[in-house]
Amino acid sequence: MYRNFGPQTGNKIFGFQKGKQGLNLFRMLLPTLIDFQEEFLSGQPVTKHYLHFSEVNCHDLDIWIGRICRTVSLEFLHEILFTILNELLVNGCKANAKRVFFKSKSLEITDPNDYQKGIPLFKQEFGQHRSAIFKSLETTNFNITVSAQNFPNYIEFKTTNNAKILDEEKIRINRRITASEKYKNINDAYLESVDSEESSGLGIVLIHILLRNSGIKNQFFELRTNDFETTIIVRIPKLLIPIEAQNKIRNLLVSEVDGLPPLAPQLQKLIL
């Protein structure tokens, strides 16, 4: 199993094996924190590429997210963002693997009848031989990417797999997004399986619950697709407290301070 990262050259995505040699290579190619921060703050997207994504890729994804959060002082969202991006990358990898699996069974994934025949087979195979299914992607042109880009008011994360989303898949995603609105937490969602035909559907539900409970509204989640790829966009506001609420808090603090004895000029500058 490869841990893949870094730039693409042609159809090749650089990666390395697990173990001491791979870890040393990872450290050599990992840019310094200062270089990473300068690139990210410049507004250029920083991107990671994978042939497939699984548990062995989690460590370098976690480091990457940690650097982004530290750069823009959103450390408290580190674990939440890791959970969200991990889920989206696995979903993208699974979507690619599904297409490879259907082709191996001589089934046309865009044909409704073949789709209904193939989904139970894929679900069973994925549950029992996930590693083998993911490894089959290494001999194909399928891949997934995750990128982050710094904007003045928000951070934009994108996960992309190079396959067009099917109408049936899009319907399922929208159904899960709608279902997420009625759940207060993931435990409520577990009690009511959202989609038992293809999967539990809890991944998309979890993402929306995490975003909502972090003060981020659903309009910051977007699905885009064309004939060649499918992209999920998650935008994280840098200010999770609306500016109006910040002004109210500020005015309240100022009014409370006015009733106190005079403060040193340096403290007044910090407050006002």
Side-chain angles (χ1 to χ4, degrees), residues 138-164:
E138 295 178 6
T139 58
T140 73
N141 290 323
F142 285 112
N143 62 79
I144 49 178
T145 64
V146 56
S147 68
Q149 189 169 2
N150 181 45
F151 290 91
N153 297 322
Y154 60 88
I155 306 299
E156 182 175 271
F157 293 92
K158 292 182 180 180
T159 60
T160 300
N161 64 295
N162 56 338
K164 179 182 179 180

Side-chain angles (χ1 to χ4, degrees), residues 34-238:
I34 293 177
D35 289 340
F36 181 91
Q37 290 177 327
E38 288 180 350
E39 180 182 5
F40 184 68
L41 291 175
S42 72
Q44 296 297 316
V46 292
T47 305
K48 294 179 70 63
H49 303 260
Y50 300 93
L51 292 176
H52 46 75
F53 188 89
S54 61
E55 293 83 1
V56 299
N57 306 104
C58 289
H59 179 65
D60 55 281
L61 177 67
D62 186 57
I63 292 175
W64 186 77
I65 294 172
R67 287 183 158 201
I68 292 170
C69 290
R70 182 177 178 183
T71 301
V72 292
S73 300
L74 289 176
E75 290 93 340
F76 67 100
L77 288 177
H78 184 156
E79 292 185 2
I80 291 173
L81 285 172
F82 174 81
T83 301
I84 290 173
L85 294 178
N86 177 78
E87 185 66 34
L88 291 176
L89 286 168
V90 170
N91 285 351
C93 181
K94 187 176 179 181
N96 287 347
K98 186 196 303 182
R99 284 149 178 79
V100 175
F101 177 82
F102 268 67
K103 186 176 181 179
S104 70
K105 300 299 181 182
S106 300
L107 294 172
E108 178 54 59
I109 197 169
T110 58
D111 180 87
N113 292 327
D114 279 1
Y115 190 83
Q116 293 302 317
K117 293 177 184 176
I119 281 300
L121 299 175
F122 176 73
K123 183 178 179 181
Q124 181 180 5
E125 188 74 11
F126 188 81
Q128 297 178 354
H129 306 289
R130 178 181 301 195
S131 297
I133 288 181
F134 282 176
K135 191 170 182 60
S136 68
L137 291 168
E138 295 178 6
T139 58
T140 73
N141 290 323
F142 285 112
N143 62 79
I144 49 178
T145 64
V146 56
S147 68
Q149 189 169 2
N150 181 45
F151 290 91
N153 297 322
Y154 60 88
I155 306 299
E156 182 175 271
F157 293 92
K158 292 182 180 180
T159 60
T160 300
N161 64 295
N162 56 338
K164 179 182 179 180
I165 194 171
L166 304 173
D167 290 339
E168 180 67 23
E169 292 172 326
K170 191 171 184 179
I171 290 173
R172 291 180 185 278
I173 290 176
N174 288 331
R175 185 187 302 159
R176 294 164 186 174
I177 293 173
T178 300
S180 70
E181 298 174 359
K182 64 181 179 180
Y183 301 123
K184 294 182 179 179
N185 53 58
I186 194 63
N187 291 329
D188 293 341
Y190 271 114
L191 296 176
E192 181 182 343
S193 181
V194 179
D195 182 356
S196 59
E197 181 178 346
E198 185 167 341
S199 67
S200 66
L202 292 177
I204 293 294
V205 173
L206 170 64
I207 289 170
H208 279 76
I209 290 175
L210 288 174
L211 289 173
R212 186 173 66 243
N213 290 349
S214 301
I216 302 169
K217 298 180 180 179
N218 278 356
Q219 61 259 38
F220 291 102
F221 181 95
E222 182 181 353
L223 168 66
R224 292 181 183 174
T225 188
N226 56 37
D227 289 339
F228 308 102
E229 62 184 24
T230 300
T231 299
I232 298 289
I233 301 173
V234 177
R235 297 182 180 92
I236 307 297
K238 293 180 179 178

Side-chain angles (χ1 to χ4, degrees), residues 14-34:
F14 293 105
F16 60 87
Q17 296 279 1
K18 293 190 294 181
K20 179 180 282 188
Q21 183 178 1
L23 182 60
N24 289 337
L25 179 58
F26 173 71
R27 287 170 176 164
M28 289 169 52
L29 296 179
L30 188 69
T32 66
L33 178 59
I34 293 177

